[in-house]
Amino acid sequence: MAYQGTFKRYELKYLLTPEQKQMVLEGIAPYMKLDQYRRTTIRNLYFDTDTFRLARRSMEKPAYKEKLRLRSYAQATEDSPVFVELKKKYDSVVYKRRISLPEQAAMAWLLEGTMQAPDAQIGREIAYFLDYYQGLKPMVFLSYEREAFYALDGSDFRVTFDENILARQTDLSLQSPAYGTPVLAKDRTLMEIKVSGGYPLWMTQLLTEGRIYRTSFSKYGTAYEQMIYPQTHPVPTTTTTRERSFFYAERTVQRAV
């Protein structure tokens, strides 16, 4: 089956309440349609170093950042197709390169180096990334339920809604079921608008009327911040609960600056 191997676009994020999501769904109905997969569970393995170099870099909010993940759109088997994805972001523009391989072959390439890189430009880019960041391995399993809408006018304008975002540091396999620790409140939906140019006027009006504002939210970065950072940066045991809250709030501000 044919698939798109390269992307260059803006990916802008919004956190919605249930009421805002319903308003957006009603507002986009004349212009967009839910894709053929309807509501699907996306599974990801994020590759990183033992010290979470890529996650830490992302949390610093640099002008340029990159990540490597393995993705499937269903619970995988050894022979089912998965995507090796190299995702880069520079000056707010997202560049994504991906190759489809059987799950077993993809893991052999990324983790064991027992398979030669696919003979294509994208394969060479991913191979260079693996060579540059020595010792990459699966560090976090992250899944979420997604509804994706495409534009009826044939443009590349897309809107996705992600819920039930779960992360874990064990059982790191796309062949495993989706489970883990929630990284987003149950009453919130992460909406992403994906577009190569400007928003349609009707979408701009919809966001304005709903008082829906852009936010910065990285699924992998949030999982690192909530689950992993507290393990590697423990609060002194003599502090009170209130002092611990101030401690983590200060650390979060420091990383955002």
Side-chain angles (χ1 to χ4, degrees):
M1 182 175 64
Y3 66 91
Q4 185 174 353
T6 62
F7 299 82
K8 177 184 176 182
R9 63 193 182 191
Y10 295 96
E11 296 184 355
L12 306 168
K13 301 177 181 181
Y14 304 79
L15 287 176
L16 308 181
T17 64
E19 295 76 18
Q20 288 174 322
K21 180 186 177 183
Q22 184 58 38
M23 190 197 79
V24 172
L25 288 174
E26 293 173 1
I28 68 175
Y31 310 99
M32 308 193 78
K33 184 176 180 180
L34 185 64
D35 71 13
Q36 61 179 323
Y37 302 106
R38 306 191 69 78
R39 189 177 181 96
T40 185
T41 300
I42 297 177
R43 297 160 170 82
N44 304 274
L45 281 181
Y46 282 86
F47 285 69
D48 213 326
T49 66
D50 286 330
T51 60
F52 289 93
R53 179 180 175 184
L54 297 175
R56 289 187 290 107
R57 174 66 174 165
S58 176
M59 295 306 294
E60 293 171 357
K61 301 191 183 302
Y64 174 81
K65 59 183 179 180
E66 54 192 356
K67 66 184 71 172
L68 179 69
R69 68 190 177 201
L70 189 62
R71 167 174 288 189
S72 66
Y73 291 87
Q75 187 169 340
T77 65
E78 291 184 351
D79 299 323
S80 61
V82 299
F83 290 95
V84 182
E85 297 187 346
L86 180 60
K87 190 173 183 180
K88 305 178 181 184
K89 187 175 183 180
Y90 177 69
D91 198 21
S92 300
V93 180
V94 173
Y95 303 85
K96 187 164 74 172
R97 307 284 187 268
R98 66 178 184 173
I99 290 178
S100 180
L101 293 169
E103 190 271 347
Q104 187 177 41
M107 289 298 289
W109 177 31
L110 298 177
L111 190 57
E112 303 167 10
T114 56
M115 190 192 87
Q116 187 175 4
D119 187 20
Q121 176 61 30
I122 298 174
R124 290 191 290 271
E125 289 183 35
I126 295 172
Y128 177 84
F129 187 92
L130 292 169
D131 184 63
Y132 183 82
Y133 293 101
Q134 290 289 321
L136 291 178
K137 61 184 179 181
M139 297 297 285
V140 169
F141 178 102
L142 196 148
S143 65
Y144 44 91
E145 296 174 13
R146 167 169 288 183
E147 296 167 298
F149 289 76
Y150 64 91
L152 294 175
D153 63 4
S155 68
D156 65 355
F157 185 72
R158 295 183 67 241
V159 177
T160 61
F161 299 92
D162 296 340
E163 296 172 334
N164 196 25
I165 304 173
L166 307 174
R168 65 176 189 258
Q169 293 178 264
T170 58
D171 195 11
L172 300 176
S173 171
L174 295 181
Q175 298 186 39
S176 300
Y179 66 91
T181 301
V183 298
L184 184 66
K186 290 184 178 180
D187 64 344
R188 290 293 182 271
T189 297
L190 178 65
M191 179 177 74
E192 292 190 39
I193 293 180
K194 307 171 191 288
V195 63
S196 60
Y199 285 22
L201 179 60
W202 58 264
M203 189 67 187
T204 302
Q205 293 173 336
L206 183 61
L207 296 174
T208 301
E209 293 170 3
R211 296 185 178 181
I212 300 170
Y213 307 108
R214 283 178 53 188
T215 188
S216 176
F217 187 92
S218 163
K219 300 183 187 75
Y220 180 43
T222 302
Y224 170 79
E225 184 177 40
Q226 294 182 1
M227 299 170 52
I228 301 162
Y229 184 83
Q231 298 174 14
T232 56
H233 298 75
V235 180
T237 57
T238 56
T239 58
T240 65
T241 300
R242 185 177 181 182
E243 288 171 334
R244 284 195 292 272
S245 298
F246 280 119
F247 177 88
Y248 284 126
E250 183 180 7
R251 290 301 183 97
T252 301
V253 170
Q254 289 173 352
R255 293 194 298 278
V257 172

